Amino acid sequence: SQQGEEDPQALSIQEGENATMNCSYKTSINNLQWYRQNSGRGLVHLILIRSNEREKHSGRLRVTLDTSKKSSSLLITASRAADTASYFCATDYGGSQGNLIFGKGTKLSVKP
Amino acid sequence: DGGITQSPKYLFRKEGQNVTLSCEQNLNHDAMYWYRQDPGQGLRLIYYSQIVNDFQKGDIAEGYSVSREKKESFPLTVTSAQKNPTAFYLCASSITKYSNQPQHFGDGTRLSIL
């Protein structure tokens, strides 16, 4: 059962450009999280945004949440080659505030 | 340094064989999870445990089994009943079972069929 879906599936940009990834989900949520996965490694937590929040920042990362559109976006500013990775959104099902459901991810490639 | 350790990094399974993947955490987290990741796919939940001596089936539990005898350890056994076991297996933990907590992941075990 898939709750979140990222868009685009793949994104290729030059170093220094901004990268925007989107996540859409189907049911109401309590929390939405973004994770990064480098090739062959585990996931690393980036940001958690609660349903009553609209925007959060962490360093070069900016996450927005629009609960009326059931969507979130992750913006990485001034991308670096080291940002090359897959990015996943994960949501709960609003009623349970329990397990996370992960999307299929956006594969970001940042060319030096 | 606190974290999650998965071993082995690579594992090969013969036909009809059960294999066990290890997951250990020293973060003092109550909740632990096993996920399966297939190429180009997201993570699918196999089993989770919210507390010692208790665990629940996730979305794709058939052909897998787990135990949670210690807080630190949550091993996953891939049984011979799992007909398509080739995948990347990820273990994670969080402070509590609730989705307002981040999950911390190990670096995975890649399982292949011989």
mmCIF file of all heavy atoms in Angstrom, chain A residues 58-76:
data_model
loop_
_atom_site.group_PDB
_atom_site.id
_atom_site.type_symbol
_atom_site.label_atom_id
_atom_site.label_comp_id
_atom_site.label_asym_id
_atom_site.label_seq_id
_atom_site.Cartn_x
_atom_site.Cartn_y
_atom_site.Cartn_z
ATOM 1 N N SER A 58 16.470 23.495 7.216
ATOM 2 C CA SER A 58 17.635 22.899 7.882
ATOM 3 C C SER A 58 18.821 23.090 6.957
ATOM 4 O O SER A 58 18.949 22.399 5.950
ATOM 5 C CB SER A 58 17.400 21.408 8.154
ATOM 6 O OG SER A 58 18.550 20.826 8.728
ATOM 7 N N GLY A 59 19.680 24.042 7.276
ATOM 8 C CA GLY A 59 20.824 24.330 6.412
ATOM 9 C C GLY A 59 20.375 24.712 5.017
ATOM 10 O O GLY A 59 19.598 25.643 4.828
ATOM 11 N N ARG A 60 20.806 23.959 4.000
ATOM 12 C CA ARG A 60 20.423 24.252 2.610
ATOM 13 C C ARG A 60 19.101 23.581 2.211
ATOM 14 O O ARG A 60 18.703 23.640 1.052
ATOM 15 C CB ARG A 60 21.532 23.764 1.662
ATOM 16 C CG ARG A 60 22.844 24.529 1.815
ATOM 17 C CD ARG A 60 23.893 24.076 0.802
ATOM 18 N NE ARG A 60 24.297 22.694 1.021
ATOM 19 C CZ ARG A 60 24.002 21.687 0.202
ATOM 20 N NH1 ARG A 60 23.317 21.906 -0.914
ATOM 21 N NH2 ARG A 60 24.414 20.468 0.469
ATOM 22 N N LEU A 61 18.448 22.945 3.146
ATOM 23 C CA LEU A 61 17.194 22.251 2.871
ATOM 24 C C LEU A 61 16.002 23.090 3.310
ATOM 25 O O LEU A 61 16.016 23.692 4.378
ATOM 26 C CB LEU A 61 17.152 20.913 3.604
ATOM 27 C CG LEU A 61 18.309 19.955 3.395
ATOM 28 C CD1 LEU A 61 18.071 18.673 4.181
ATOM 29 C CD2 LEU A 61 18.502 19.645 1.928
ATOM 30 N N ARG A 62 14.968 23.090 2.448
ATOM 31 C CA ARG A 62 13.713 23.747 2.803
ATOM 32 C C ARG A 62 12.589 22.796 2.427
ATOM 33 O O ARG A 62 12.509 22.340 1.294
ATOM 34 C CB ARG A 62 13.562 25.068 2.055
ATOM 35 C CG ARG A 62 12.215 25.746 2.257
ATOM 36 C CD ARG A 62 12.144 27.059 1.477
ATOM 37 N NE ARG A 62 10.762 27.475 1.313
ATOM 38 C CZ ARG A 62 10.166 27.671 0.135
ATOM 39 N NH1 ARG A 62 10.840 27.517 -0.978
ATOM 40 N NH2 ARG A 62 8.910 28.057 0.087
ATOM 41 N N VAL A 63 11.728 22.513 3.380
ATOM 42 C CA VAL A 63 10.589 21.628 3.148
ATOM 43 C C VAL A 63 9.311 22.426 3.346
ATOM 44 O O VAL A 63 9.186 23.184 4.307
ATOM 45 C CB VAL A 63 10.630 20.426 4.114
ATOM 46 C CG1 VAL A 63 9.297 19.686 4.109
ATOM 47 C CG2 VAL A 63 11.756 19.483 3.742
ATOM 48 N N THR A 64 8.384 22.251 2.422
ATOM 49 C CA THR A 64 7.063 22.848 2.571
ATOM 50 C C THR A 64 6.018 21.746 2.609
ATOM 51 O O THR A 64 6.230 20.644 2.088
ATOM 52 C CB THR A 64 6.741 23.810 1.423
ATOM 53 O OG1 THR A 64 6.769 23.082 0.189
ATOM 54 C CG2 THR A 64 7.743 24.949 1.361
ATOM 55 N N LEU A 65 4.906 22.039 3.225
ATOM 56 C CA LEU A 65 3.802 21.084 3.327
ATOM 57 C C LEU A 65 2.503 21.816 3.059
ATOM 58 O O LEU A 65 2.221 22.840 3.684
ATOM 59 C CB LEU A 65 3.776 20.446 4.712
ATOM 60 C CG LEU A 65 2.662 19.437 4.981
ATOM 61 C CD1 LEU A 65 2.800 18.220 4.077
ATOM 62 C CD2 LEU A 65 2.646 19.008 6.442
ATOM 63 N N ASP A 66 1.723 21.296 2.117
ATOM 64 C CA ASP A 66 0.409 21.845 1.800
ATOM 65 C C ASP A 66 -0.610 20.736 2.022
ATOM 66 O O ASP A 66 -0.798 19.875 1.162
ATOM 67 C CB ASP A 66 0.382 22.347 0.354
ATOM 68 C CG ASP A 66 -0.914 23.070 0.005
ATOM 69 O OD1 ASP A 66 -1.951 22.790 0.668
ATOM 70 O OD2 ASP A 66 -0.912 23.886 -0.915
ATOM 71 N N THR A 67 -1.238 20.738 3.182
ATOM 72 C CA THR A 67 -2.161 19.647 3.510
ATOM 73 C C THR A 67 -3.436 19.707 2.669
ATOM 74 O O THR A 67 -4.082 18.685 2.461
ATOM 75 C CB THR A 67 -2.523 19.664 5.004
ATOM 76 O OG1 THR A 67 -2.981 20.971 5.354
ATOM 77 C CG2 THR A 67 -1.318 19.301 5.858
ATOM 78 N N SER A 68 -3.793 20.896 2.164
ATOM 79 C CA SER A 68 -4.997 20.982 1.330
ATOM 80 C C SER A 68 -4.777 20.295 -0.011
ATOM 81 O O SER A 68 -5.704 19.730 -0.591
ATOM 82 C CB SER A 68 -5.382 22.443 1.110
ATOM 83 O OG SER A 68 -4.406 23.118 0.337
ATOM 84 N N LYS A 69 -3.529 20.317 -0.502
ATOM 85 C CA LYS A 69 -3.192 19.638 -1.759
ATOM 86 C C LYS A 69 -2.571 18.272 -1.513
ATOM 87 O O LYS A 69 -2.218 17.573 -2.464
ATOM 88 C CB LYS A 69 -2.217 20.503 -2.566
ATOM 89 C CG LYS A 69 -2.810 21.810 -3.057
ATOM 90 C CD LYS A 69 -1.800 22.593 -3.872
ATOM 91 C CE LYS A 69 -2.417 23.903 -4.374
ATOM 92 N NZ LYS A 69 -1.444 24.735 -5.115
ATOM 93 N N LYS A 70 -2.399 17.920 -0.250
ATOM 94 C CA LYS A 70 -1.766 16.647 0.098
ATOM 95 C C LYS A 70 -0.422 16.518 -0.621
ATOM 96 O O LYS A 70 -0.154 15.528 -1.330
ATOM 97 C CB LYS A 70 -2.667 15.454 -0.212
ATOM 98 C CG LYS A 70 -3.918 15.385 0.664
ATOM 99 C CD LYS A 70 -4.685 14.084 0.444
ATOM 100 C CE LYS A 70 -5.813 13.930 1.436
ATOM 101 N NZ LYS A 70 -6.829 14.995 1.374
ATOM 102 N N SER A 71 0.421 17.510 -0.434
ATOM 103 C CA SER A 71 1.716 17.477 -1.102
ATOM 104 C C SER A 71 2.770 18.179 -0.265
ATOM 105 O O SER A 71 2.469 19.046 0.569
ATOM 106 C CB SER A 71 1.620 18.119 -2.487
ATOM 107 O OG SER A 71 1.395 19.500 -2.365
ATOM 108 N N SER A 72 4.022 17.797 -0.522
ATOM 109 C CA SER A 72 5.169 18.397 0.142
ATOM 110 C C SER A 72 6.267 18.566 -0.897
ATOM 111 O O SER A 72 6.323 17.833 -1.889
ATOM 112 C CB SER A 72 5.667 17.481 1.271
ATOM 113 O OG SER A 72 6.876 17.954 1.825
ATOM 114 N N SER A 73 7.141 19.527 -0.674
ATOM 115 C CA SER A 73 8.293 19.666 -1.556
ATOM 116 C C SER A 73 9.556 19.813 -0.731
ATOM 117 O O SER A 73 9.540 20.343 0.381
ATOM 118 C CB SER A 73 8.125 20.864 -2.484
ATOM 119 O OG SER A 73 8.151 22.061 -1.738
ATOM 120 N N LEU A 74 10.636 19.295 -1.294
ATOM 121 C CA LEU A 74 11.969 19.415 -0.693
ATOM 122 C C LEU A 74 12.822 20.214 -1.665
ATOM 123 O O LEU A 74 12.979 19.822 -2.825
ATOM 124 C CB LEU A 74 12.588 18.032 -0.459
ATOM 125 C CG LEU A 74 14.074 18.009 -0.068
ATOM 126 C CD1 LEU A 74 14.286 18.624 1.302
ATOM 127 C CD2 LEU A 74 14.613 16.573 -0.095
ATOM 128 N N LEU A 75 13.347 21.331 -1.192
ATOM 129 C CA LEU A 75 14.223 22.176 -1.999
ATOM 130 C C LEU A 75 15.630 22.093 -1.421
ATOM 131 O O LEU A 75 15.822 22.296 -0.218
ATOM 132 C CB LEU A 75 13.735 23.624 -1.975
ATOM 133 C CG LEU A 75 14.699 24.685 -2.529
ATOM 134 C CD1 LEU A 75 14.883 24.515 -4.027
ATOM 135 C CD2 LEU A 75 14.199 26.089 -2.207
ATOM 136 N N ILE A 76 16.586 21.762 -2.275
ATOM 137 C CA ILE A 76 17.995 21.806 -1.898
ATOM 138 C C ILE A 76 18.615 22.974 -2.648
ATOM 139 O O ILE A 76 18.626 22.986 -3.886
ATOM 140 C CB ILE A 76 18.733 20.507 -2.264
ATOM 141 C CG1 ILE A 76 18.038 19.296 -1.637
ATOM 142 C CG2 ILE A 76 20.195 20.572 -1.814
ATOM 143 C CD1 ILE A 76 18.625 17.951 -2.065
#
